[in-house]
Amino acid sequence: GHKGPALSELDRDLRKGLGGAVERWIKARSSLGGSSEDNAGFPSEIMRLAKLIAFEACELKREEEGLEAFTQNPSPEGCESLSREVTTTRFRLIHPEIKAPFVFEATHHVFAGELLGTGKRLDGLTWKVDLELIGFFLVAFHTQTYQCGEELDRSLLDEVRSALNTPLSPSELAVLLMLAGNACRGAAAWNDVEDVCFWSNNFSLPEFRVR
C-alpha cells in the first residue's frame, strides 16, 4: 500500500533506535568473551535480521494507576502517585512466510512518593517493567526485587525462527524482538532488556549469567 511520509519517518527513526540498541547488545556480548567463531557470526546475523524489521506504528500513553497496583515492599504508605507509561509498537518482519504484524507493549510502572523508612522522596522510580509481544511472550520484571514473572509460547517463537532460517537461539530471537518493540527508547532500549536477560529463566542469555 501507499506509505505516507509520516510512516516512513517513523520507520526511519525507529530503525535507527533499534540499530543503537543492537549495537549495545553486540558490545555487551563481545566484552564477555565466548568463542571467537561464535562472536564473529553473531553481529552479522543480528544485523541481517534487524534490517528485516519494518515499523508501522508507535504510540505512548500515560495513565494513572490505583495504589493497589503497587505490590513492592516497602508498602505504598508513602506513595503519592502511581502511573504507567505504555508504549505500543507495531512492526513487521519483511519475509514471505511471516504475514502477521507483531504488536509489542512495553509498560513502565512509575512510583512517586517517599520510600517507607528511608526518608527518601522519589519522583519517578520505575518499579516494574512489563514487556509483552502479544501472543508470544510476557515478562514482568520488578526492578527492586529482581523478580521476573514470565509466560512464553515457545512453538510460535520457533515458527518465526525456522521461517527466518537463523542459527540464533529462541532467547536471542526474543531479545531482538524485545529491542524492536522498545526501539522508541533508542540505545536505552537495551537497559530494560539487559535486566530481563540477566534475571529471567526463559530469556536468559547464558553469556549474561553470573558466572
Side-chain angles (χ1 to χ4, degrees), residues 65 69 84-87 104-109 126-133 137-143 147-150 178 181-182 192 196:
E65 273 193 303
R84 59 175 168 241
E85 292 181 5
V86 184
T87 309
F104 191 92
E105 257 186 18
T107 306
H108 287 74
H109 300 265
T126 296
W127 62 274
K128 184 170 159 241
V129 179
D130 300 322
L131 301 176
E132 181 172 16
L133 185 62
F137 58 74
L138 166 65
V139 184
F141 177 69
H142 290 255
T143 62
Q147 283 171 313
C148 224
E150 34 201 332
M178 285 185 215
N182 248 338
D192 294 336
V196 165

Side-chain angles (χ1 to χ4, degrees), residues 44-132:
S44 56
E45 179 59 8
I46 287 289
M47 294 300 203
R48 173 182 87 87
L49 295 180
K51 284 196 179 79
L52 300 179
I53 293 170
F55 293 93
E56 294 188 333
C58 182
E59 63 165 345
L60 172 66
K61 282 204 308 272
R62 289 193 172 82
E63 303 160 346
E64 291 303 307
E65 273 193 303
L67 292 191
E68 70 283 352
F70 192 66
T71 52
Q72 300 285 95
N73 239 344
S75 77
E77 282 172 52
C79 181
E80 292 158 26
S81 76
L82 286 179
S83 57
R84 59 175 168 241
E85 292 181 5
V86 184
T87 309
T88 307
T89 304
R90 196 173 75 234
F91 59 91
R92 286 183 186 272
L93 277 164
I94 304 163
H95 188 282
E97 283 172 57
I98 304 171
K99 300 273 192 288
F102 295 85
V103 179
F104 191 92
E105 257 186 18
T107 306
H108 287 74
H109 300 265
V110 179
F111 166 98
E114 189 189 319
L115 275 184
L116 207 64
T118 62
K120 263 206 231 137
R121 214 193 150 283
L122 291 165
D123 195 23
L125 167 80
T126 296
W127 62 274
K128 184 170 159 241
V129 179
D130 300 322
L131 301 176
E132 181 172 16

